[in-house]
Amino acid sequence: QQALGSSAAKRGMTLEHELNLSNQYYLSVDRAVIHKKPTPIQLVKVDYPRRSAAVVREAYFRRPSTTDYNGIYQGHYIDFDAKETRNKSSFPLKNFHAHQIEHLRHCLKQGGICFAIIRFTNLGQNYLYPASKLIQAWDQQDTGGRKSILLTTIQTDGFPIALGLQPRLDYLAAVDQLLETIKHKGVDYE
Amino acid sequence: QQALGSSAAKRGMTLEHELNLSNQYYLSVDRAVIHKKPTPIQLVKVDYPRRSAAVVREAYFRRPSTTDYNGIYQGHYIDFDAKETRNKSSFPLKNFHAHQIEHLRHCLKQGGICFAIIRFTNLGQNYLYPASKLIQAWDQQDTGGRKSILLTTIQTDGFPIALGLQPRLDYLAAVDQLLETIKHKGVDYE
Ligand SMILES: [Mg+2]
Ligand SMILES: [Mg+2]
């Protein structure tokens, strides 16, 4: 037995933790209602002690069938996943699972505002990257396309997210920019 | 140790199961993307065996901070909880937790389409009940209001959900009626 969290999980928790704090802040000022979904667990054995809470004694992590975050922002359905990479010049697409891409594809079709939040841990940089562009890159892998998205491409088609105090990660400012871009450039970003 | 599910849980799983099947169907025909959120679990001990999957050895159920279901339907953010009662003439408000009502209140403010799906198990009847009306009833408890919502009130202000084969519970047909009602009656239902 070991403490929760490999170094990968710890890195993941940092971005996740900052997003959770930001979401708490957004909720507290009525700006948006966005939550991280709990990790899905397959329960196998549960104890029900007489006078205390049920205890899970055997369970396994399941692969989520959706992205981690969703909610509502001023009438817009918001859906995204958060990913970190230690790479310095590109984001490897293998950080996504096929089912997450399919989920984003379905949400886009329904008119959702969908994206990835990508952190380059070694650069200390965070970007909102539109799901439409992510899906393009994903699909092009099959026809000889790159297995990663260049940082320069992310800087061109995405939106930087500033680090701050309150909220820690003001990603809704980047969503505002995405909404403006969709309004002006339309289908390419939708 | 006992098998998962008291009779209450079993009843809960039935409505939940039917909703999950309906959501799968809606997804398969590109009508909506709506999922049940996983139950939140507080992990305490996790084993990481060398060559196999991580095993949760001690964990506890946490109270969810939101409702169970959300997603997107033709551009609308959808948020609801599903509740069952064995009562025959009213729905007891104690089936809701304060934090769920607060969550619905926040989502309504952002422009979400929010409601409860209420099953009267002993009557074999299912209703969509708008969150605006639910919140009214909830708030009126403090000023001498009823601790339950009468079935007749639910029939007046809510929308019946038909049982079928595909989808099992066509609750989006009831959502369509709610959307029409919001369009015509406005703020009262929003
Ligand atoms: Mg993730
Ligand atoms: Mg529930």
Side-chain angles (χ1 to χ4, degrees):
Chain A
Q1 274 174 6
Q2 61 179 73
L4 280 176
S6 61
S7 83
K10 269 186 216 145
R11 271 184 288 124
M13 279 171 69
T14 307
L15 174 57
E16 200 177 293
H17 187 63
E18 291 183 0
L19 286 169
N20 292 347
L21 290 176
S22 305
N23 287 337
Q24 270 173 37
Y25 172 77
Y26 289 142
L27 181 63
S28 72
V29 297
D30 269 330
R31 182 126 187 251
V33 183
I34 299 167
H35 289 277
K36 181 175 186 297
K37 294 182 191 173
T39 307
I41 301 263
Q42 181 72 48
L43 298 174
V44 175
K45 234 181 266 168
V46 181
D47 278 1
Y48 295 93
R50 227 155 235 263
R51 280 166 203 284
S52 53
V55 191
V56 177
R57 285 300 179 195
E58 185 184 348
Y60 299 88
F61 296 101
R62 277 167 36 205
R63 172 168 293 187
S65 53
T66 67
T67 48
D68 280 349
Y69 296 85
N70 76 353
I72 182 166
Y73 170 49
Q74 295 174 8
H76 300 287
Y77 174 77
I78 299 290
D79 198 295
F80 67 96
D81 218 296
K83 303 287 189 192
E84 296 184 80
T85 182
R86 306 180 88 157
N87 281 28
K88 290 176 181 169
S89 58
S90 70
F91 171 77
L93 286 163
K94 68 174 188 311
N95 281 287
F96 275 90
H97 299 297
H99 58 93
Q100 291 183 310
I101 300 290
E102 289 323 301
H103 173 72
L104 290 169
R105 218 190 286 271
H106 281 115
C107 290
L108 278 181
K109 262 194 205 170
Q110 292 292 324
I113 301 302
C114 307
F115 50 89
I117 290 182
I118 299 173
R119 167 168 291 180
F120 288 87
T121 47
N122 287 326
L123 303 176
Q125 294 177 18
N126 303 286
Y127 296 92
L128 180 155
Y129 196 65
S132 54
K133 299 287 178 185
L134 172 67
I135 292 168
Q136 259 174 42
W138 181 269
D139 290 345
Q140 282 167 5
Q141 291 181 102
D142 290 339
T143 53
R146 301 181 50 87
K147 304 290 175 205
S148 66
I149 306 173
L150 288 171
L151 173 60
T152 51
T153 303
I154 292 174
Q155 288 167 333
T156 305
D157 292 338
F159 306 94
I161 300 171
L163 272 186
L165 282 177
Q166 193 80 296
R168 180 69 184 140
L169 278 173
D170 192 9
Y171 72 88
L172 288 180
V175 168
D176 287 338
Q177 290 185 271
L178 174 59
L179 287 168
E180 273 301 302
T181 309
I182 290 173
K183 216 196 292 180
H184 292 107
K185 299 202 181 165
V187 71
D188 233 33
Y189 275 79
E190 245 165 358
Chain B
Q1 273 173 8
Q2 60 179 74
L4 280 177
S6 60
S7 84
K10 268 187 216 142
R11 271 184 289 125
M13 279 172 70
T14 307
L15 175 57
E16 200 177 294
H17 187 61
E18 290 183 1
L19 286 168
N20 292 348
L21 290 176
S22 304
N23 287 336
Q24 269 173 38
Y25 172 77
Y26 288 142
L27 182 63
S28 72
V29 296
D30 269 330
R31 182 126 186 253
V33 184
I34 299 168
H35 289 278
K36 182 176 186 296
K37 294 182 191 174
T39 307
I41 300 261
Q42 181 71 48
L43 297 173
V44 174
K45 232 180 267 171
V46 181
D47 277 1
Y48 294 92
R50 227 156 237 262
R51 281 166 203 284
S52 52
V55 191
V56 177
R57 286 300 180 194
E58 185 183 348
Y60 299 88
F61 296 102
R62 277 166 35 206
R63 171 167 296 187
S65 52
T66 67
T67 48
D68 280 348
Y69 295 86
N70 77 352
I72 181 166
Y73 170 50
Q74 295 175 8
H76 299 287
Y77 174 78
I78 300 290
D79 198 295
F80 67 97
D81 219 297
K83 304 288 188 191
E84 297 185 81
T85 182
R86 307 180 88 157
N87 281 27
K88 289 176 180 168
S89 58
S90 70
F91 171 77
L93 286 163
K94 68 173 186 316
N95 281 287
F96 274 91
H97 300 297
H99 58 92
Q100 292 182 310
I101 300 290
E102 289 323 301
H103 174 72
L104 290 169
R105 218 190 285 271
H106 281 116
C107 290
L108 277 181
K109 262 195 206 171
Q110 292 293 322
I113 301 301
C114 308
F115 50 89
I117 290 181
I118 298 174
R119 166 168 290 179
F120 288 87
T121 47
N122 288 325
L123 303 176
Q125 295 178 16
N126 302 286
Y127 296 92
L128 179 155
Y129 197 65
S132 54
K133 300 287 177 185
L134 172 68
I135 292 169
Q136 258 174 42
W138 180 269
D139 290 344
Q140 282 166 6
Q141 290 182 102
D142 289 340
T143 52
R146 300 180 50 88
K147 303 290 176 207
S148 66
I149 306 173
L150 288 170
L151 173 60
T152 52
T153 303
I154 292 175
Q155 287 167 334
T156 305
D157 293 337
F159 305 94
I161 300 171
L163 272 186
L165 281 177
Q166 193 80 296
R168 180 69 184 138
L169 277 174
D170 192 9
Y171 72 88
L172 288 180
V175 168
D176 286 339
Q177 291 183 271
L178 173 59
L179 287 168
E180 274 301 304
T181 308
I182 290 173
K183 218 197 291 183
H184 292 108
K185 299 202 183 167
V187 70
D188 232 31
Y189 275 79
E190 248 167 355

